[in-house]
Each structure stands twice: as structure tokens, then as C-alpha cells.
């Protein structure tokens, strides 16, 4: 399979580290004859050309007679490299000017700029990675929490590929048994007697688990939008700061201090979330504050979850009850704050009497108590029926989910018609062959060029 956007036979180069001042910068190269090409701009060409794979060579990058920078060149020889081709990674000093100078020198000496994701694409076409591993590279780069990174690393290590391959074996073995029956038929009353459905039933169950895993995996990758809402002085900014473990919001006893919303990424036990601190809900003649109140309502109406704070010392007001009940279509947790200033038994009575149909939690943002319970409850609500992580591996992209879902539906249909004497074995065979094609799309064995282009075009340059 080829892709016209990428030209695997050409020498490519890319800046692989952030183009910003730092201790080190890395310029990455790949392609047949890569080591020879780099040696032409290296102060010790013979040492570089004779270097063993997986070794470092010290020297200078040269532009003619001008010394560009003192560097270390990591040498990788095919096929033992990331791309499966010859590769050199030039580690230079991390200044923007010097990294650009090394890169520009390569471009003047036979290399072309790499496309987005081209290094990983070459790894794919050279058999160093299937599509599940290739996509996992981008997932790791984009991961927002350690849990998200861990899930992506699981796929990068090949666990998803192994699961898909194992399911394909179940389907293939069943398909082989059926084809034997087609070639050497026996006197049977129904096709249900022609093969043992247990392998297909196991395949159906495992495919169903994979499809279900996408709901939680998507949360770990993309995160959710959580809005802190409540009346003025309920402690929203204090909770915002407590969860972030830094003073981002101004905290004051003066009502209406927060007039606009601010946001920050945060991890709720591994699930990334955009957390919004908003203006307090109250009637006001202040035009600017009133605008902030409207923004709060708009943000809450589009949130994945609202944490509605109630001042436990002040009690549950009519305005609190009105907002909570009017927003019952949005996932909402009532957070009783300032419990250090209130009678906990009275809080429980208030929650049981007025909010028995709502989730509640008791905290003191100022003292830092109860935030662990809040985090656990938030995670439970966000995940819903999805497990935090499937027993096996999970799917890493919408593309993977769609292909696995197609395979699941084909296997399920094959089992259904195998129990009906109206259908013949040929119909079951067609379903199973379609299922195998769908599973092949997941790993890249059967993937159109336009899909490949879409996958790798979302990578950063240098990967």
C-alpha cells in the first residue's frame, strides 16, 4: 500500500523538539542513505559512516567551513530504528537560532522537510508499527493526565493489536470449520449443527467489551467541561483554588468579587477536565456583574457536569433550590461547602429533605476536607456506566471504534442467522469475512489511503 502524499524513498528532516530556548534541541532525519548524507555536513565523516547502530558520535555540524554547533549524532541502522530505515538524530544546543541553523543546513544538503506524522507513517509502512501503535504515539503526545498517558502506552506496547489479533483468530478458525462443512457437507437438518458457536460467542463478547471501552477512553483523551456554580460567597473560587492547589482565583468575603469566568485544566483522579470558576448567581444592578451571571448560566447549560456550591452556614436558599431543580437535565452535584462552620447533622437533614433526588457531598474548601470524596463522586458521575478501564485494553480513536463496531455487528448477525434454518452457511461466511475486513482496518491491514492521510496528518512535524 502506498500513500502519494509521502515519498518513502526521499531523505527527510524535522525539528523534533519544541522550538524554544532549552538545554537541548533534536533534529531528526530518516531515509535510505541518511547516514552518508549527514556525514557530508559532519566534522568526522568517517567516524559517522563507520558507526554501529544505536551508538553516539561526537562532532560538529558544518555549513561549508563554518562551524554551526557542537553536537552528538545518534546513529540508527535499518531495520533497527523507529522508521525501519537509516536514521540520524542530531542533539544540539537548544537555542532557537542554532536548532534552525542545523535544520536549514540539512535542507541545503539533500534533505526535504518531513510532513506531519511522516516518521510514524514510515514506521507503519516498514512494518515497525501497526495503526493502533501509530495512533498511540499521538495519544501519548496529546495526553493531558498520567492516566491518559498510561492507557495510550498500553496501546503503544501492542496490547490492543494482540487483542484484535486474538479475536481474528477466533473468527478465522470458525470460518475455516464452516468452509470444511461447505466442501464436505453432511446430512444435517440445520446449519446450527455444522459448527460450534462458542468461539463466535467469545468473539462477540470481546468485541462488545472493546466497543464499550471507547466511552471511557474518550473521556481520558478529550476530557470534560465542569462548571462551578452557586450564589455569591458560596466558596466557588476557594474550591477552584483548592482543586488546582494554587491561587488562581481571587478569594474575598465581598460579594460579587468574581465577575467573569476563568478556567484551567485539572485531573479528577486521572480524568482531564476543564474546570470553570464563575460569577456568583444573584440579582444585581451592576451591568458588568449581571453579564457575568448570564455567562455563568450559559456555561452551566453546556457543561458535562455542574458542581453547585451551597454555603452550609447560610443554608439552602430558595434561589439555590430553583437553580438546582431547573437544571435537572444536566449532570449536577450539590456541594455543601463551609461545613467547618455548620452543623453537619443539619446539613444531612437539609439534603435528605430538600435534595433527596440529587447527589450531594460535604466539603470545606478552606480547610481542604472532603475534596477527596468530591473527586471520587465526580469521577463516578463522569464515567457513568463506563468502567474506568476495561479488564483488557481499550480503543484509542473514533476510527477504531467504528471498525470494531462493524465487526461486532457482523459477528452478532452471523450468530443470529446460524440459529435460523432459513439461511445457508454462505450467509454466515459472508458476515465473518466482513468482520475480518473490519478488524483489518483497525490495525491497518486493510486501510484506504485517504484514511491513512487523515490519521497521520494530525501528528506534529517530527513524529
Amino acid at each position: 500500500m502506498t500513500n502519494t502524499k509521502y515519498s518513502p524513498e526521499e531523505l527527510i528532516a524535522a525539528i523534533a523538539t519544541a522550538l524554544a530556548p532549552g538545554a537541548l534541541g533534536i533534529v531528526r532525519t530518516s531515509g535510505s542513505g541518511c547516514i552518508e548524507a549527514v556525514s557530508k555536513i559532519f566534522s568526522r565523516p568517517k567516524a559517522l559512516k563507520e558507526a554501529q547502530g544505536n551508538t553516539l558520535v561526537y562532532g560538529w555540524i558544518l555549513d561549508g567551513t563554518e562551524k554551526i554547533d557542537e553536537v552528538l549524532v545518534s546513529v540508527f541502522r535499518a531495520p533497527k530504528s523507529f522508521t525501519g530505515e537509516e536514521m540520524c538524530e542530531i542533539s544540539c544546543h537548544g537555542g532557537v537560532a542554532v536548532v534552525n541553523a542545523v535544520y536549514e543546513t540539512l535542507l541545503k544538503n539533500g534533505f526535504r522537510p518531513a510532513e506531519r506524522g511522516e516518521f510514524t507513517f514510515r514506521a507503519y509502512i516498514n512494518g515497525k508499527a501497526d495503526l493502533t501503535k501509530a495512533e498511540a504515539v499521538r495519544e501519548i503526545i496529546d495526553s493531558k493526565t498520567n492516566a491518559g498517558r498510561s492507557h495510550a502506552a498500553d496501546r503503544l506496547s501492542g496490547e490492543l493489536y494482540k487483542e484484535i489479533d486474538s479475536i481474528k483468530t477466533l473468527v478465522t478458525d470458525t470460518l475455516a470449520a464452516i468452509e470444511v462443512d461447505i466442501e464436505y457437507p453432511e446430512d444435517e437438518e440445520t446449519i446450527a449443527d455444522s459448527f460450534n458457536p462458542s468461539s463466535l460467542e467469545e468473539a462477540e463478547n470481546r468485541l462488545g467489551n472493546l466497543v464499550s471501552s471507547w466511552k471511557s477512553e474518550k473521556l481520558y483523551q478529550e476530557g470534560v467541561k465542569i462548571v462551578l456554580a452557586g450564589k455569591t460567597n458560596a466558596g466557588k473560587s476557594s474550591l477552584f483554588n483548592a482543586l488546582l492547589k494554587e491561587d488562581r482565583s481571587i478569594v474575598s468575603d465581598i460579594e460579587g468579587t468574581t465577575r467573569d469566568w476563568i478556567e484551567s485544566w485539572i485531573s479528577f483522579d486521572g480524568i482531564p477536565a476543564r474546570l470553570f470558576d464563575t460569577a456568583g448567581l444573584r440579582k444585581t444592578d451592576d451591568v458588568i456583574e449581571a453579564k457575568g451571571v448570564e455567562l455563568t448560566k450559559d456555561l452551566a447549560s453546556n457543561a458535562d457536569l455542574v458542581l453547585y456550591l451551597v454555603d452550609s452556614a447560610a443554608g439552602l436558599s430558595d434561589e439555590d433550590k430553583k437553580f438546582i431543580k431547573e437544571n435537572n437535565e444536566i449532570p449536577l452535584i450539590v456541594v455543601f461547602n463551609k461545613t467547618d462552620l455548620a452543623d453537619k447533622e443539619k446539613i444531612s437533614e437539609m439534603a435528605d429533605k430538600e435534595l433527596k433526588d440529587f447527589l450531594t457531598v460535604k466539603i470545606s474548601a478552606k480547610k481542604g476536607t472532603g475534596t477527596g470524596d468530591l473527586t471520587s463522586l465526580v469521577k463516578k458521575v463522569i464515567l457513568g456506566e463506563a468502567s474506568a478501564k476495561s479488564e483488557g485494553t481499550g480503543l484509542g480513536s473514533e476510527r477504531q471504534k467504528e471498525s470494531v463496531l462493524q465487526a461486532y455487528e457482523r459477528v452478532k448477525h452471523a450468530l443470529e442467522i446460524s440459529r435460523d434454518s432459513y439461511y445457508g452457511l454462505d450467509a454466515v461466511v459472508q458476515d465473518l469475512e466482513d468482520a475480518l475486513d473490519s478488524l483489518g482496518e483497525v490495525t491497518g491491514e486493510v486501510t484506504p489511503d485517504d484514511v491513512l492521510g487523515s490519521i497521520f496528518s494530525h501528528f506534529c512535524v517530527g513524529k
Side-chain angles (χ1 to χ4, degrees):
M1 181 173 292
T2 60
N3 188 304
T4 55
K5 183 177 179 181
Y6 304 121
S7 301
E9 69 279 0
E10 296 178 349
L11 295 172
I12 58 172
I15 298 170
T17 48
L19 198 55
L24 291 173
I26 296 176
V27 182
R28 189 179 228 188
T29 68
S30 185
S32 178
C34 168
I35 298 171
E36 172 75 24
V38 173
S39 73
K40 293 178 181 179
I41 60 169
F42 192 61
S43 62
R44 301 174 60 213
K46 183 179 179 182
L48 188 60
K49 287 187 285 187
E50 294 178 353
Q52 298 294 313
N54 305 313
T55 60
L56 294 172
V57 183
Y58 162 79
W60 286 78
I61 294 296
L62 307 174
D63 186 2
T65 59
E66 179 189 359
K67 289 184 176 180
I68 300 299
D69 192 28
E70 190 177 24
V71 303
L72 286 174
V73 180
S74 303
V75 178
F76 303 95
R77 294 193 177 273
K80 296 181 179 181
S81 72
F82 176 72
T83 61
E85 306 170 328
E86 282 188 5
M87 290 185 69
C88 285
E89 292 186 351
I90 302 169
S91 298
C92 59
H93 292 95
V96 173
V98 67
V99 173
N100 271 324
V102 172
Y103 176 60
E104 294 296 335
T105 303
L106 288 165
L107 298 187
K108 288 192 295 184
N109 287 272
F111 289 85
R112 68 161 172 83
E115 300 283 351
R116 286 180 175 272
E118 188 167 2
F119 288 89
T120 309
F121 175 76
R122 291 189 178 199
Y124 164 71
I125 63 173
N126 289 323
K128 303 296 289 186
D130 70 288
L131 284 189
T132 63
K133 289 185 179 180
E135 287 177 300
V137 171
R138 180 172 57 83
E139 292 166 32
I140 284 181
I141 293 171
D142 293 341
S143 58
K144 298 176 179 67
T145 65
N146 195 47
R149 176 209 53 76
S150 176
H151 289 205
D154 181 71
R155 286 182 283 276
L156 183 60
S157 69
E159 291 305 311
L160 178 56
Y161 177 86
K162 292 175 186 176
E163 177 67 3
I164 294 295
D165 194 55
S166 177
I167 294 171
K168 284 174 62 179
T169 298
L170 292 171
V171 176
T172 302
D173 289 348
T174 303
L175 191 57
I178 293 174
E179 288 177 341
V180 167
D181 264 305
I182 291 175
E183 292 294 325
Y184 306 100
E186 305 224 353
D187 295 330
E188 296 149 334
E189 293 183 4
T190 69
I191 65 170
D193 299 323
S194 63
F195 70 95
N196 187 340
S198 60
S199 291
L200 279 191
E201 289 168 351
E202 181 182 347
E204 179 191 26
N205 181 59
R206 288 164 67 177
L207 287 169
N209 288 338
L210 282 177
V211 172
S212 298
S213 75
W214 172 238
K215 183 177 181 180
S216 61
E217 291 297 327
K218 185 177 182 181
L219 289 174
Y220 281 102
Q221 287 183 27
E222 299 180 4
V224 292
K225 180 179 177 181
I226 299 178
V227 172
L228 300 177
K231 291 177 62 180
T232 54
N233 269 6
K236 298 181 295 299
S237 295
S238 294
L239 178 58
F240 186 81
N241 291 341
L243 292 173
L244 264 62
K245 296 181 174 60
E246 60 178 287
D247 292 334
R248 284 286 306 279
S249 278
I250 298 173
V251 177
S252 168
D253 292 333
I254 301 172
E255 293 188 348
T257 299
T258 304
R259 297 190 170 200
D260 198 359
W261 54 265
I262 64 172
E263 66 169 294
S264 182
W265 280 102
I266 187 174
S267 171
F268 278 93
D269 198 13
I271 299 176
R274 288 171 63 200
L275 183 66
F276 291 80
D277 181 22
T278 64
L281 299 169
R282 69 167 180 170
K283 291 182 179 180
T284 177
D285 294 328
D286 188 302
V287 176
I288 297 176
E289 187 182 352
K291 180 63 176 177
V293 171
E294 289 305 312
L295 286 173
T296 297
K297 293 178 179 178
D298 289 342
L299 282 169
S301 66
N302 292 298
D304 296 301
L305 174 64
V306 172
L307 301 182
Y308 189 85
L309 272 71
V310 173
D311 183 340
S312 299
L316 194 67
S317 69
D318 290 338
E319 291 87 348
D320 290 326
K321 289 183 278 188
K322 180 181 178 183
F323 181 92
I324 292 168
K325 292 175 181 178
E326 284 181 352
N327 290 275
N328 59 1
E329 294 184 2
I330 306 166
L332 184 145
I333 297 173
V334 180
V335 181
F336 284 97
N337 189 27
K338 304 184 183 180
T339 54
D340 54 312
L341 303 176
D343 186 320
K344 292 182 175 58
E345 289 187 7
K346 288 185 178 180
I347 297 172
S348 297
E349 289 175 7
M350 184 166 38
D352 292 340
K353 181 180 179 181
E354 303 287 351
L355 303 169
K356 60 181 179 180
D357 295 326
F358 294 89
L359 294 171
T360 62
V361 65
K362 306 177 188 68
I363 71 162
S364 170
K366 185 176 180 179
K367 300 290 186 180
T369 57
T371 53
D373 293 336
L374 174 62
T375 296
S376 298
L377 185 57
V378 166
K379 182 176 181 178
K380 181 179 178 181
V381 172
I382 290 172
L383 287 175
E385 296 179 356
S387 60
K389 193 177 191 301
S390 58
E391 291 183 5
T393 190
L395 300 177
S397 69
E398 185 76 34
R399 180 195 71 82
Q400 293 172 9
K401 190 266 288 186
E402 289 301 322
S403 294
V404 171
L405 178 59
Q406 290 172 10
Y408 169 74
E409 290 173 344
R410 290 298 90 206
V411 170
K412 182 178 181 180
H413 188 254
L415 279 167
E416 289 172 353
I417 62 176
S418 72
R419 302 183 184 106
D420 192 334
S421 60
Y422 177 80
Y423 295 95
L425 285 173
D426 287 340
V428 178
V429 167
Q430 184 61 60
D431 273 333
L432 298 187
E433 287 177 345
D434 290 344
L436 289 174
D437 284 344
S438 295
L439 292 176
E441 290 177 1
V442 178
T443 55
E445 296 169 65
V446 192
T447 303
D449 283 352
D450 58 344
V451 175
L452 288 179
S454 174
I455 291 170
F456 291 104
S457 66
H458 289 87
F459 280 56
C460 56
V461 175
K463 285 305 293 183

